[in-house]
Amino acid sequence: HLSDKPDSMRIRVSVPKGMTNISNGVLRRQTESRTHTTTEWYVSYPITTYCIALNIGDYVHLTDQRLRGSDTLKLHYYSKPYDLEQGRKLFRHVKPMLSVFEKYFGPYPFSRDGLTVMESIYPMEHQGAVTFGSLFNPFNSDRYDSADILRTMWHEVAHEWWGNHITVKDYADMWVHEAFATYAEALAYRELQGPEAALRYLNGSPPDNKQAIIGTYGVNDFHMGDMYTKGALMLHTLQHVINNDTVWFGLLRSIQTQFAHQTITSDDVIQFINDYTKTDYTAFFRQYLNHPAIPQLLLKFERRGKDTVVLYRWKTDEPAF
């Protein structure tokens, strides 16, 4: 149900008694009848349709809050009753995670609606109602992979900035969502577990380099592929090419400010980076995004008298790389 405000939405759901529904935004009202429970949720920000959430089940609800200056961010956690112990362990990581992302990307974008982190059947970046997947491993019920679930939570919450606050116009440009969210995982590792953990993570999943990251426009071309790992490595590379973390992280925060609550394209992001850094990185992005192969640095060593001469050239698809 669309409200009277153009940038807001109401979600009203009735479920059988004993069950509950968690959706985006703020729970405005919950009413009980003899047979059903009805919840009314209110989203006060623009929201992309694929991020609308209906999570229906038997949930335990925990609440918390995070103080940031004079602002209070309301936090809501939901887990299945039989997963509550593992859920509590995971939820303790939410505040440190938010500190990292706000440090590098800017304030949490949906402060009025708060942040919900919940268990569900699969991970997904539902705006303001992020799911990290299931705390129960159906393939091995004795194994609780807390590290993997924590990393998944980092990724999905990072989409609040990269995917929900700024959203691409076409699925072909989904690297803007997934590359930055995967790169955010590396940032969380670096800040919370140390730089060696970040490097292990970045080097732990080499890309296939068999398909271009950017897909075909206008046909909902969404192929998972390398937009995650290769995209994150591309951003990590660009950070070191720029070689100035003040500029780099200022750039990331400025992207969030410039394109807040907008739909954008790859070209928008690349042009903004070029303008902000006063350097043309167009060929850099085209090589990594539009071609499967990664650049190869070719070296040749020659002995000239007492000297060793090193000759080099790049083997690329983009001549201007």
Side-chain angles (χ1 to χ4, degrees):
H1 304 277
L2 295 178
S3 74
D4 54 354
K5 297 180 180 180
D7 290 339
S8 56
M9 179 185 66
R10 286 177 294 163
I11 305 169
R12 185 173 183 269
V13 181
S14 292
V15 298
K17 202 168 183 67
M19 308 292 278
T20 189
N21 171 66
I22 303 101
S23 288
N24 318 82
V26 177
L27 179 61
R28 282 281 184 89
R29 186 177 296 106
Q30 180 168 308
T31 57
E32 305 283 349
S33 71
R34 186 176 61 84
T35 59
H36 284 76
T37 299
T38 301
T39 56
E40 294 186 13
W41 299 81
Y42 179 76
V43 180
S44 62
Y45 295 90
I47 183 171
T48 185
T49 52
Y50 76 82
C51 280
I52 296 173
L54 302 174
N55 285 273
I56 299 169
D58 180 16
Y59 281 101
V60 176
H61 179 202
L62 306 174
T63 60
D64 199 355
Q65 62 182 18
R66 180 176 181 273
L67 300 178
R68 187 178 185 274
S70 58
D71 296 330
T72 300
L73 178 65
K74 293 183 179 179
L75 302 172
H76 299 272
Y77 309 136
Y78 293 89
S79 76
K80 304 299 287 180
Y82 45 79
D83 288 332
L84 182 57
E85 181 180 353
Q86 290 118 330
R88 289 183 187 275
K89 294 176 182 177
L90 179 68
F91 299 144
R92 287 199 292 265
H93 295 279
V94 170
K95 290 181 181 179
M97 169 190 63
L98 286 172
S99 296
V100 173
F101 292 164
E102 289 193 325
K103 175 181 178 180
Y104 291 117
F105 306 147
Y108 175 71
F110 307 105
S111 56
R112 292 193 305 269
D113 288 356
L115 172 63
T116 291
V117 179
M118 74 177 76
E119 181 176 14
S120 188
I121 57 175
Y122 58 87
M124 181 64 190
E125 64 268 27
H126 305 298
Q127 180 174 308
V130 175
T131 68
F132 50 80
S134 176
L135 289 164
F136 171 71
N137 185 336
F139 303 105
N140 185 348
S141 59
D142 296 328
R143 180 172 176 268
Y144 168 58
D145 193 342
S146 58
D148 185 59
I149 294 174
L150 176 62
R151 179 188 59 78
T152 302
M153 182 179 72
W154 289 343
H155 181 96
E156 302 304 338
V157 173
H159 278 306
E160 294 284 69
W161 287 264
W162 306 99
N164 300 345
H165 192 217
I166 59 173
T167 307
V168 294
K169 293 181 179 179
D170 193 296
Y171 277 132
D173 287 331
M174 281 290 284
W175 72 270
V176 177
H177 298 194
E178 301 301 349
F180 279 101
T182 307
Y183 172 78
E185 296 176 49
L187 282 181
Y189 273 117
R190 189 181 80 169
E191 290 291 301
L192 301 174
Q193 299 185 19
E196 291 185 359
L199 288 175
R200 282 196 302 271
Y201 169 67
L202 283 168
N203 292 322
S205 300
D208 292 329
N209 301 318
K210 294 180 179 178
Q211 187 177 29
I213 289 177
I214 289 183
T216 304
Y217 291 99
V219 293
N220 287 336
D221 184 12
F222 176 63
H223 49 83
M224 305 287 280
D226 284 342
M227 69 173 68
Y228 296 81
T229 55
K230 185 175 180 178
L233 287 165
M234 176 189 70
L235 296 174
H236 182 72
T237 298
L238 182 60
Q239 176 184 354
H240 288 80
V241 170
I242 292 174
N243 197 30
N244 184 324
D245 278 357
T246 300
V247 172
W248 171 248
F249 291 113
L251 168 63
L252 300 188
R253 289 188 291 270
S254 295
I255 292 174
Q256 289 293 316
T257 302
Q258 176 70 22
F259 300 111
H261 303 300
Q262 297 180 43
T263 53
I264 60 174
T265 66
S266 290
D267 289 341
D268 293 331
V269 175
I270 294 167
Q271 187 59 53
F272 185 83
I273 291 174
N274 291 346
D275 294 341
Y276 188 93
T277 60
K278 299 180 174 60
T279 306
D280 188 355
Y281 290 111
T282 304
F284 171 92
F285 281 105
R286 284 180 178 169
Q287 179 63 49
Y288 284 108
L289 296 175
N290 296 95
H291 304 282
I294 60 173
Q296 290 184 321
L297 178 61
L298 305 181
L299 300 173
K300 182 179 180 181
F301 297 87
E302 291 184 355
R303 188 71 174 176
R304 297 181 183 176
K306 295 181 179 181
D307 298 325
T308 299
V309 177
V310 182
L311 305 176
Y312 70 92
R313 69 180 177 88
W314 285 105
K315 181 181 178 183
T316 63
D317 300 280
E318 291 290 328
F321 182 85

